[in-house]
Amino acid sequence: MKTLFKPLVGESAWFGVLGVGYVVWAVIGAVVLGMRWVDYVPLGVSGVLSLTLAIGMLVMGLKQRQPFAMLAELRIFVVLVLFFLVVTPVYWMMSHEVTGSVALVLTFMLSAMLTLYLLINAVRYDARPEDRRQADIVEGAGELGFFPPRSAWPVTCAVMLAVTLLGPVFGWWLTILGTGLGLWAIAGWVYQYYRGDYAH
């Protein structure tokens, strides 16, 4: 199998190995070592989740009719998902600290959400030159996109958000004022290049 042919099949192996390891670890901990349920249940859940990701990526990869290259940024988020999938249950087992564990779970879910979005795009669209190892430099020539020359709206939105969040401290009238002006600032940011010199 070529390096870039059906890369999801190769990536799924990492999740599969990790999932099997977690399930085995949970079974040994529950049956042999007599661990408490708060220790082996997170391991078992993590193992099932990892195996689910592995099977999903494997099926998706095998369904591809033609070779495709994984997006460069998708590989980064796959590594992040693997990292948090490893760290989260281990952190819980070693610390039993709720706040940090919840933060790690939410970070894992965010990484998984972005991975799913990038995965859908990787399958749906053709590979870019930066996603293919055989690509030539000349393939990346041409217009890359529109980049704003300048804009005051991001700062305006930040100020309105600060005013909104100061409401619970100094008075709810600030929250109402900040929300109203914040909607105006967001609209200005979204539609700034539909008028004026840089309209397109």
Side-chain angles (χ1 to χ4, degrees):
M1 183 177 291
K2 296 180 180 178
T3 305
L4 293 181
F5 182 67
K6 296 181 179 176
L8 291 179
V9 176
E11 299 291 338
S12 66
W14 295 100
F15 289 97
V17 171
L18 181 63
V20 171
Y22 270 150
V23 171
V24 171
W25 190 5
V27 171
I28 291 175
V31 177
V32 180
L33 302 178
M35 287 194 308
R36 297 176 300 167
W37 69 271
V38 293
D39 287 329
Y40 67 76
V41 167
L43 290 176
V45 171
S46 300
V48 172
L49 182 60
S50 186
L51 287 173
T52 303
L53 289 171
I55 293 171
M57 293 178 75
L58 180 64
V59 170
M60 222 169 179
L62 293 176
K63 279 187 175 180
Q64 283 302 116
R65 302 298 177 121
Q66 72 277 353
F68 77 100
M70 220 178 209
L71 296 178
E73 55 270 28
L74 176 56
R75 291 187 181 277
I76 295 173
F77 280 99
V78 166
V79 172
L80 283 175
V81 170
L82 276 170
F83 173 78
F84 289 113
L85 195 56
V86 170
V87 168
T88 304
V90 173
Y91 178 84
W92 168 254
M93 286 185 61
M94 295 182 68
S95 68
H96 293 286
E97 198 262 319
V98 177
T99 305
S101 300
V102 171
L104 286 171
V105 169
L106 293 177
T107 308
F108 164 77
M109 292 172 66
L110 175 62
S111 301
M113 181 183 68
L114 293 171
T115 302
L116 179 62
Y117 169 76
L118 293 170
L119 180 59
I120 292 172
N121 284 337
V123 174
R124 183 180 300 175
Y125 300 112
D126 294 333
R128 305 165 302 180
E130 56 264 36
D131 299 323
R132 295 183 285 108
R133 294 182 183 176
Q134 306 95 332
D136 294 322
I137 295 176
V138 70
E139 293 183 51
E143 184 179 347
L144 296 178
F146 175 76
F147 299 95
R150 62 181 180 271
S151 177
W153 289 111
V155 176
T156 308
C157 288
V159 171
M160 293 306 107
L161 178 61
V163 171
T164 303
L165 295 178
L166 285 174
V169 179
F170 296 107
W172 289 105
W173 63 272
L174 275 176
T175 300
I176 298 171
L177 178 65
T179 302
L181 293 177
L183 293 174
W184 164 75
I186 292 172
W189 194 1
V190 170
Y191 293 106
Q192 64 180 324
Y193 295 111
Y194 286 86
R195 57 189 175 79
D197 296 334
Y198 298 102
H200 64 280

